[in-house]
Amino acid sequence: MSNLDLMAHLVARARAAGADAADAVLVASTSLSVGRRNGQTEQLERSESQDLGLRVFVGQSAAIVSATSVDPASFDRLAERAVAMARVVPPDQFAGLAERMASPDPIDLDLDDGQEPDAATLIARAETAEQTARAVPGITNSEGGEAAFSRTEVILVTSAGFAGRTMRSAHSVSAVALAGAGTGMQRDYDYSSAVYMSELEDAEAIGRSAALRAIARLNPTRPRTTKLSVVYDPRVSPGLVSSFVGMINGASVARGTSLLKDKMGQRIFAPGITITDDPRRPRGLRSKAWDGEGVPTRAYNLAEDGVLTTWLLDSRSARQLGLASTGHASRGTGGPPSPSSTNLYMAPGTLTPSELMADIKEGLYVTELMGGGMNGITGDYSRGAAGFMIRDGQLAEPVAEITIAGNGLEMFAHLTPANDLRFRRGTDAPTIRVDGLTLAGA
């Protein structure tokens, strides 16, 4: 019996046990990871796991049970336990399966390359990344190189007739390099991840990048407290996009705990700014043809020409707001669905990063952020930061042990993206400039 048939059988057992509706999700994965440090293999791990979750509805009361064993002999007991739990929990007027579900034959998003590298291949990749980093003059040590592979099967079956299956491969390589010594030591990293192994960035390039980044951070200063323009490197600029998306999460909006809860249709960003969520990008790191409830996905411009256009909604938050699901439900096996973004990005602007900084007499170029974030209720923004000063439009001395602060709505209204967008992570953005932030330093 296939895993798809097993989940259909589990849903049938839940209905037989008294559930008015039910869905079952299975996540089965195989992974292999390698870590190399100082020329030695320190980590070699292989894991295989199967986790399932059963959600049942008795009236408008819901309960979830999960298990790490996919054993048909235990399905009756699992279903009976879930139904018994649902009968004693309070009803939720917004609970229930999704009303609109995807085609049982969704489009092919090309999410599995069919390759499974062996341990020797991963060891060689991790070794290349670390050795390249250590060979760069100025590097004194390393925290190692890593390489990994995984393949994950996700199955969702509902009592409303939906049955879907996806298979996804993932490959990654990373390196962490150390420069300097003692209290003056600096650390930095680089990494690459891809669905297709052939699209993974070269391990040598990753190691060299990690080393050069660490060396560039040596002997940082702590600048004086002032107000200035801040330019976010593409490694950290996606955090601004994530802060915005957190504020348009349907669950937060429905609870009234979002700063943007009354801003639908209003201008949040400057004209020309577009933020897109595209779950159907072929080979995307977070691509999916259907969401965690079986609702079909599609691309949305969450902000278009600077205007807020939609919330991220699953079925429950959509019912609370009197709207329809946008196909953004995400779930694991042990909890209910909740809204979440997929392949999220800010569209590039027209200026190069150099042109974006050209008129800044004194500013800050941020390459690392720590702690805190943007408060989704008040918009208060405060992050520990490190990077480089900008002087007369050029990168200058490294800086560390500083904090940058501002107000979220003002930051959104005054940000400018460069033209260097690359799709490297699940959330991506180009270099971004934000004027008028406070730098707290010496």
Side-chain angles (χ1 to χ4, degrees):
M1 187 180 293
S2 70
N3 283 338
L4 196 64
D5 291 335
L6 284 171
M7 292 303 98
H9 179 56
L10 177 57
V11 168
R13 299 321 302 156
R15 292 297 306 276
D20 297 314
D23 61 12
V25 61
L26 173 70
V27 180
S29 66
T30 299
S31 65
L32 179 64
S33 63
V34 169
R36 294 274 295 181
R37 185 171 182 273
N38 294 327
Q40 301 296 319
T41 300
E42 287 196 340
Q43 168 198 330
L44 177 57
E45 295 182 358
R46 179 181 176 86
S47 67
E48 297 184 9
S49 64
Q50 285 189 318
D51 297 282
L52 67 84
L54 173 66
R55 181 173 61 151
V56 302
F57 299 91
V58 177
Q60 289 188 300
S61 296
I64 297 173
V65 294
S66 60
T68 56
S69 172
V70 185
D71 178 10
S74 68
F75 283 1
D76 281 336
R77 185 170 64 257
L78 202 66
E80 290 166 2
R81 185 182 306 137
V83 170
M85 291 169 59
R87 284 176 173 154
V88 299
V89 301
D92 177 356
Q93 62 177 316
F94 304 112
L97 298 178
E99 290 84 4
R100 176 178 57 94
M101 294 187 178
S103 163
D105 185 23
I107 63 171
D108 180 12
L109 298 178
D110 199 14
L111 299 179
D112 183 11
D113 67 356
Q115 298 190 58
E116 184 169 342
D118 57 21
T121 299
L122 295 185
I123 289 172
R125 187 172 296 149
E127 182 177 27
T128 297
E130 192 206 17
Q131 285 186 347
T132 302
R134 294 180 66 194
V136 174
I139 293 300
T140 54
N141 207 334
S142 91
E143 291 185 5
E146 294 188 0
F149 155 82
S150 68
R151 175 168 286 108
T152 303
E153 177 186 38
V154 178
I155 289 173
L156 174 67
V157 175
T158 80
S159 60
F162 176 82
R165 175 183 180 271
T166 62
M167 186 72 79
R168 180 189 305 273
S169 57
H171 305 266
S172 66
V173 59
S174 64
V176 181
L178 302 172
T183 58
M185 184 176 289
Q186 293 294 323
R187 168 190 179 276
D188 216 316
Y189 69 95
D190 203 356
Y191 75 95
S192 172
S193 57
V195 169
Y196 266 58
M197 187 166 65
S198 61
E199 296 178 357
L200 200 62
E201 294 181 42
D202 181 68
E204 286 189 12
I206 293 297
R208 186 175 301 107
S209 172
L212 294 176
R213 287 175 180 272
I215 292 168
R217 295 179 62 164
L218 286 171
N219 304 313
T221 62
R222 193 180 184 203
R224 60 183 173 82
T225 296
T226 186
K227 182 168 285 191
L228 41 58
S229 295
V230 175
V231 178
Y232 291 78
D233 183 89
R235 287 211 301 187
V236 294
S237 61
L240 297 174
V241 180
S242 296
S243 293
F244 163 69
V245 168
M247 294 180 187
I248 64 169
N249 184 294
S252 297
V253 174
R255 289 193 302 267
T257 57
S258 168
L259 182 65
L260 300 182
K261 65 181 185 297
D262 300 318
K263 303 292 186 181
M264 179 66 73
Q266 298 183 29
R267 187 172 300 285
I268 306 299
F269 299 92
I273 300 295
T274 296
I275 296 176
T276 301
D277 188 75
D278 183 8
R280 295 202 170 196
R281 182 194 306 153
R283 302 188 185 182
L285 292 176
R286 299 178 183 169
S287 294
K288 52 187 178 182
W290 38 270
D291 75 353
E293 297 178 299
V295 175
T297 59
R298 71 175 181 86
Y300 283 88
N301 286 338
L302 310 178
E304 189 165 8
D305 196 25
V307 176
L308 173 60
T309 62
T310 186
W311 311 124
L312 295 186
L313 301 171
D314 62 353
S315 292
R316 186 178 187 280
S317 60
R319 293 185 187 109
Q320 288 177 284
L321 296 168
L323 300 170
S325 170
T326 57
H328 282 98
S330 178
R331 68 189 297 182
T333 57
S338 60
S340 180
S341 60
T342 60
N343 299 310
L344 180 67
Y345 67 94
M346 177 180 286
T350 59
L351 301 175
T352 66
S354 295
E355 291 169 338
L356 195 69
M357 298 189 296
D359 66 333
I360 299 177
K361 183 173 180 59
E362 182 182 59
L364 175 67
Y365 186 88
V366 177
T367 58
E368 184 178 20
L369 292 170
M370 296 153 281
M374 189 177 294
N375 187 301
I377 301 175
T378 66
D380 293 338
Y381 177 83
S382 180
R383 303 289 304 271
F388 302 86
M389 292 301 294
I390 301 170
R391 301 197 185 281
D392 297 321
Q394 302 293 320
L395 295 186
E397 72 274 15
V399 294
E401 298 181 9
I402 58 175
T403 300
I404 52 176
N407 174 269
L409 288 185
E410 292 180 1
M411 293 172 67
F412 292 157
H414 295 95
L415 65 77
T416 305
N419 66 354
D420 58 339
L421 174 69
R422 291 177 61 200
F423 294 126
R424 296 191 69 197
R425 303 169 178 87
T427 299
D428 294 285
T431 301
I432 292 176
R433 171 176 170 172
V434 181
D435 295 324
L437 294 184
T438 297
L439 181 156

